[in-house]
Amino acid sequence: RLGGRARALTPEPRPCGPNVGPAIGVLVGFILVRRVLVGGLPEGDDAPYHVAKNAFAFTEIFARGHLDGWGPTFSMGSQQFLLYGPGASLVAAALRLLSLGLVDQRTLVGWVGALAFVATAPAAYFMARGLRLGRTGASVVGLAALCVSVPYGTGLAGTFDLGLVPHQLAVPMVLVTLGALIRVVDQPDRRWVTLAAAAATGVTVTHLTSALVTLVTVGLAFPVAYFLSFAVSPQRKGMWLFLITIPFWT
């Protein structure tokens, strides 16, 4: 009782209406990569390498029930998935199965890169919502994520200039991993733990470097965020979580 009057707690208002933020990001993403989806060998210096690697992996590695093996495709040969894990090739193999083998190897490489780029928008939206941004703010984050373009990393430049398809494929999975872990800190739930573990596994088998960077980020930043959650007001918790992840994005 406050001032002699009983006051009922007002529940936090929930947003109403359809959630179109992720859909807008996906639509914009498809518009940006529409020419890649038509088919053929995509732009990128490493694109022919991925085509040859996938062709060998489909028939000589995956078909024999293995996830890695010795590939004699280049020079004297090398371990097939030493630098990049089999994640991108597994996604390409899944798309080939869904298409009943009608899609050629060159088009599959372009599709994997394009779909990974499009998935970046809803993944960034998911992470932003975990940071307690509203639907509008999270939608802006999703669209802004499509604008990130690093020549030797991810985005349009990295994916379709150098052909770093595994790098781009790891991006949405990293964002989902961070978004799920943020929710674990804020609201411990088995489903977020399961989602974080699944996404982290996908990052590991796709691009090990991204998995290591994510591990360092989680190992350093999120324990600090956990303790800060008890020292700052709930209204500023999301801001602190965002500030702590700045070194990761830098």
Side-chain angles (χ1 to χ4, degrees):
R1 300 180 66 87
L2 299 176
R5 296 181 180 179
R7 300 180 58 182
L9 294 177
T10 303
E12 184 178 352
R14 295 183 177 181
C16 57
N19 190 5
V20 298
I24 294 175
V26 169
L27 177 62
V28 173
F30 273 120
I31 292 175
L32 293 175
V33 298
R34 64 189 183 280
R35 296 180 183 273
V36 180
L37 298 174
V38 174
L41 184 67
E43 296 288 339
D45 296 342
D46 284 357
Y49 162 74
H50 293 302
V51 172
K53 184 178 69 172
N54 289 348
F56 181 81
F58 289 178
T59 58
E60 302 297 332
I61 297 180
F62 298 155
R64 299 176 186 271
H66 301 289
L67 292 178
D68 201 356
W70 186 263
T73 310
F74 298 97
S75 185
M76 298 179 63
S78 63
Q79 185 178 340
Q80 186 78 352
F81 298 112
L82 177 63
L83 295 179
Y84 304 127
S89 296
L90 289 173
V91 173
L95 292 175
R96 187 170 177 84
L97 289 176
L98 291 175
S99 66
L100 302 178
L102 299 178
V103 181
D104 60 89
Q105 300 287 354
R106 298 175 300 173
T107 301
L108 287 174
V109 171
W111 280 12
V112 173
L115 293 177
F117 175 78
V118 172
T120 301
Y125 178 93
F126 174 77
M127 194 192 78
R129 289 289 286 167
L131 293 170
R132 296 192 176 185
L133 269 69
R135 287 184 175 181
T136 302
S139 300
V140 172
V141 170
L143 291 174
L146 297 177
C147 300
V148 177
S149 184
V150 184
Y152 298 98
T154 62
L156 292 176
T159 307
F160 302 110
D161 188 9
L162 287 182
L164 302 177
V165 176
H167 294 61
Q168 181 59 50
L169 183 59
V171 170
M173 291 186 286
V174 168
L175 294 174
V176 171
T177 302
L178 293 175
L181 289 174
I182 290 171
R183 286 166 170 80
V184 170
V185 173
D186 194 35
Q187 270 185 333
D189 193 306
R190 183 178 299 177
R191 58 177 178 171
W192 300 130
V193 175
T194 303
L195 179 60
T201 301
V203 177
T204 303
V205 300
T206 301
H207 195 253
L208 183 59
T209 303
S210 296
L212 295 176
V213 172
T214 305
L215 179 63
V216 172
T217 302
V218 173
L220 296 179
F222 286 97
V224 178
Y226 178 81
F227 289 108
L228 284 176
S229 64
F230 294 98
V232 299
S233 61
Q235 292 78 7
R236 296 186 177 182
K237 186 187 298 185
M239 180 190 70
W240 277 104
L241 288 171
F242 174 75
L243 293 175
I244 290 170
T245 58
I246 285 180
F248 170 82
W249 301 115
T250 304

